[in-house]
Amino acid sequence: MPDTKPHANGERVLADLHALRALGAYKTGVHKPTFSEPHRQSLDWLVRKLPDAGLTGAIDGIGNIVGKSAKPGPKLLAGSHLESQNYAGWLDGPLGVVYALEAARVLNADPSVKGAVEVAAWVDEEGHFGSFLGSRSYVGQVGEAEIDTARDRTNGRAMRDALADMGLAGRPRIASEPGRHIGYLEAHIEQGDTLESGKLAIGVVTSIVGIWQYRITFTGEQNHAGTTRMAVRKDAGLALAKFCVAIDEQFPAACGPRTVWTTGRITLDPGAPSIIPGGAEMLFQIRDDDPSVIARLEQLLDTMADEVSARGPCTVIVEKIRTGAPAMMNAGFQDAIEAASKALAGGRSLRMPSGAGHDAQMLATVMPAGMLFVPSIGGISHHWTENTDDADIVTGAQVFVDACRRILAR
Amino acid sequence: MPDTKPHANGERVLADLHALRALGAYKTGVHKPTFSEPHRQSLDWLVRKLPDAGLTGAIDGIGNIVGKSAKPGPKLLAGSHLESQNYAGWLDGPLGVVYALEAARVLNADPSVKGAVEVAAWVDEEGHFGSFLGSRSYVGQVGEAEIDTARDRTNGRAMRDALADMGLAGRPRIASEPGRHIGYLEAHIEQGDTLESGKLAIGVVTSIVGIWQYRITFTGEQNHAGTTRMAVRKDAGLALAKFCVAIDEQFPAACGPRTVWTTGRITLDPGAPSIIPGGAEMLFQIRDDDPSVIARLEQLLDTMADEVSARGPCTVIVEKIRTGAPAMMNAGFQDAIEAASKALAGGRSLRMPSGAGHDAQMLATVMPAGMLFVPSIGGISHHWTENTDDADIVTGAQVFVDACRRILAR
């Protein structure tokens, strides 16, 4: 039978993405931090678009937007975020919001579709003020105290002040309604090079890795860099360097097939050219979707630290500062995305985990969740050169809308 | 023959040191940064003490004091500095100034001594505004442009403003007079543990090491810490850590018997926990009194950097940012200090290099120079717990004055 179902309108999707790109444009990307003027304009833009999709909604007390449908039948929540990292790309976030809007426009007006897609834009996924504040607020993980202490990491501005300037002070926050949604679906750029190198169009996300963060502190003895003989030194910076090399040598034998680990920051104390550092600190993180792998690597870290401290001359302390929350994506949703890819993307899809955190991780704590990736050119993200070909954007939108259709039909 | 020569007055030396210690006292040390109020008071204190030593002098246009004698005969210059590091010790600098003052008081008034000791306090040896500004100014190495751009490293204050506040704006700067002095002698705390561990009283300084400084830069590729597979990473921080370990492994076979090397500061770029560093930088220094050892180690550094860059995935650049200026101490002055130690310190002296830079290094570029060390308890310096026993302070003064007498007599 010929396929007579309405599909995503590629031109409309691209026009919407370009309309959002124009708000806060920076070179070929956008500078659209949370609660900046371009972000406010983008939120207003989305609120204005909701009625055409058969939805009603407004900005809530923390900056979230959830458009609701009065159509009878199952409800599928879909969305992403509208703000950006500083001086970053045009698609990270808006892609998922526009795909959700397109799915709502196509499916909500289709009488052959039971139920509707409801569209969400979660505030501050990019963490200018906190960590996934919008999606966490929706699922009940954010108390007033957290908002009270939240500050813009770039300029220290209090979130309460920013909310007041947005005219949101005192407005209630939308919370998820248990049982309302059959699930949540989010589309996002891959932010890696797997799809591009495999010449694929769609990533079917299997899981979202958890991020475990550690502060590793080395203690030696501060001393004069000229008058202290090499043999008596307790150089905390050298101890840190040796530990980094040891991690690089020992982790591969103990990690999982897709574990990643990173030392993002190193600080020596006092950090002066002519003083042997008596202290050193590294911020270290491990990502995986399997907590048993993490447990194994944490044990290895502790063993390594104990050996270093016993051997001397410096001592090492490993302190966990954040426990990861991996999220498994719903199997049925993965099947739906894969089937849609077969039908509309020539089957050019791949099941893969997400190495980056996403709002879907938070939604997954209260409902079945799924994610779809489109390719990132050069694997680049969080930079104004971030991009995806128009053809891949359009294909992604078509697969996304069809996946939503399939999920609503089950 | 009994020794009827006047010696140093230990009580007077200790009283002077305690008078200076009271200006800017911080716990058991002092907080006396260059051109702070306590520093100004200390400079005024010295100017008032000069006449009792048969000297005349005032603070010059950069903050130096050089007391001059009208007594006929050879002139021996002696001194050190009066300011301190932030929240540091009471003896680093003042010991040498007070020993010089004592030598002037004892010898200038002694008719059996031909010639005189002239006393100097060099400004900013501790480098709040620049590098050995006072002694370098005296030997002609500081132009007006350098003073124009000099700023306090703690608070950014312009040196010109500080000089104006001191009432020194427009005042001329004293310059060394070729031929006036037979040499320069400086006493200083050792700032290391060699004398203390050997239960010795006097260090006869043979040379002052040069300090060679390098900026070593690593270039990789910045990327997302979650979505970038380990196999494709170009982590500049990891490359830096490996290089530090390689230096630790390879330098000992190539260095001299007393070479020291130190990495004092490490910076990752961008330095964020969730971003693989695309850049990394280390500030590295090597100290030795033998330029041929330095040349050998520089060649080793370059070879190591070339190998890393060739092997990848990151590239390394070694940039020399400061060339060391080692200074050999005058052999005759060393003999005089050693002879004085035999006579007055039971021979408990040791010939040793200075691993720290000193004003004597700058004076050595225009006249013969010598240095004498007294023990540092625990090898501690640049900290308010810095200390030397009273007995060692007094012994040091007696040896210093006697060494000056011997040098003037040759």
Side-chain angles (χ1 to χ4, degrees), chain B residues 120-179:
Chain B
W122 312 114
V123 77
D124 205 34
E125 184 273 356
E126 292 291 11
H128 288 275
F129 288 89
S131 180
F132 297 98
L133 275 175
S135 48
R136 284 177 51 243
S137 171
Y138 183 73
V139 303
Q141 287 182 19
V142 174
E144 292 300 307
E146 182 173 352
I147 304 177
D148 288 341
T149 57
R151 292 185 167 280
D152 191 325
R153 63 164 199 251
T154 300
N155 58 31
R157 188 175 181 220
M159 189 174 196
R160 289 290 183 200
D161 293 340
L163 287 168
D165 285 356
M166 294 278 292
L168 302 175
R171 200 177 281 197
R173 296 191 270 141
I174 307 165
S176 66
E177 298 167 44

Side-chain angles (χ1 to χ4, degrees), chain A residues 130-377:
Chain A
S131 179
F132 295 98
L133 274 176
S135 47
R136 286 177 49 241
S137 170
Y138 184 73
V139 302
Q141 287 182 20
V142 173
E144 292 299 308
E146 182 173 352
I147 304 178
D148 287 341
T149 57
R151 293 188 166 278
D152 190 325
R153 66 167 195 248
T154 300
N155 57 34
R157 188 175 181 220
M159 188 174 196
R160 288 290 183 200
D161 293 342
L163 287 168
D165 285 358
M166 293 280 291
L168 302 175
R171 200 178 282 198
R173 295 190 271 140
I174 307 167
S176 66
E177 299 166 44
R180 178 182 184 83
H181 297 109
I182 59 171
Y184 172 78
L185 199 65
E186 178 168 354
H188 207 282
I189 54 169
E190 179 201 339
Q191 297 178 279
D193 69 338
T194 304
L195 294 177
E196 185 184 53
S197 19
K199 295 183 174 14
L200 301 163
I202 301 291
V204 182
V205 181
T206 53
S207 60
I208 302 176
V209 299
I211 307 171
W212 281 258
Q213 310 229 55
Y214 308 85
R215 177 183 297 110
I216 306 180
T217 311
F218 300 78
T219 304
E221 190 175 84
Q222 178 174 317
N223 227 323
H224 197 291
T227 60
T228 314
R229 296 172 290 134
M230 299 308 292
V232 305
R233 294 184 175 209
K234 300 182 187 182
D235 185 332
L238 179 60
L240 182 151
K242 289 180 173 178
F243 203 78
C244 285
V245 174
I247 288 173
D248 181 61
E249 290 170 347
Q250 300 190 39
F251 265 39
C255 68
R258 269 187 289 256
T259 317
V260 292
W261 57 90
T262 312
T263 298
R265 179 150 75 217
I266 291 173
T267 319
L268 303 190
D269 173 48
S274 287
I275 302 180
I276 302 164
E281 178 188 286
M282 52 187 270
L283 295 182
F284 180 70
Q285 65 173 238
I286 311 174
R287 300 195 190 202
D288 202 293
D289 62 10
D290 183 345
S292 71
V293 169
I294 300 298
R296 197 161 66 229
L297 294 174
E298 281 187 356
Q299 184 141 9
L300 176 55
L301 268 184
D302 286 340
T303 301
M304 288 168 58
D306 289 345
E307 283 173 0
V308 168
S309 296
R311 189 173 60 238
C314 298
T315 56
V316 189
I317 291 178
V318 178
E319 177 198 353
K320 179 155 58 182
I321 56 179
R322 175 177 169 179
T323 300
M328 307 315 288
M329 297 291 98
N330 180 272
F333 289 16
Q334 294 181 47
D335 292 343
I337 298 167
E338 199 169 69
S341 301
K342 257 201 185 76
L344 297 166
R348 290 176 299 126
S349 70
L350 173 72
R351 300 216 178 200
M352 56 183 291
S354 169
H358 291 285
D359 291 309
Q361 235 164 329
M362 309 310 155
L363 273 298
T365 63
V366 301
M367 64 181 78
M371 281 197 81
L372 165 165
F373 280 159
V374 299
S376 287
I377 297 175

Side-chain angles (χ1 to χ4, degrees), chain A residues 191 224-230 233 238 242 248 259-262 264-266 268 271-274 277 285 287 355-356, chain B residues 191 193 224-228 230 233 238 242 248 259-266 268 271-274 277 285 287 355-356:
Chain A
Q191 297 178 279
H224 197 291
T227 60
T228 314
R229 296 172 290 134
M230 299 308 292
R233 294 184 175 209
L238 179 60
K242 289 180 173 178
D248 181 61
T259 317
V260 292
W261 57 90
T262 312
R265 179 150 75 217
I266 291 173
L268 303 190
S274 287
Q285 65 173 238
R287 300 195 190 202
Chain B
Q191 296 179 279
D193 68 343
H224 195 290
T227 61
T228 314
M230 300 308 290
R233 296 184 173 207
L238 180 60
K242 289 181 173 180
D248 181 59
T259 318
V260 291
W261 57 92
T262 312
T263 298
R265 180 151 73 218
I266 291 173
L268 303 190
S274 287
Q285 66 172 235
R287 300 193 188 202

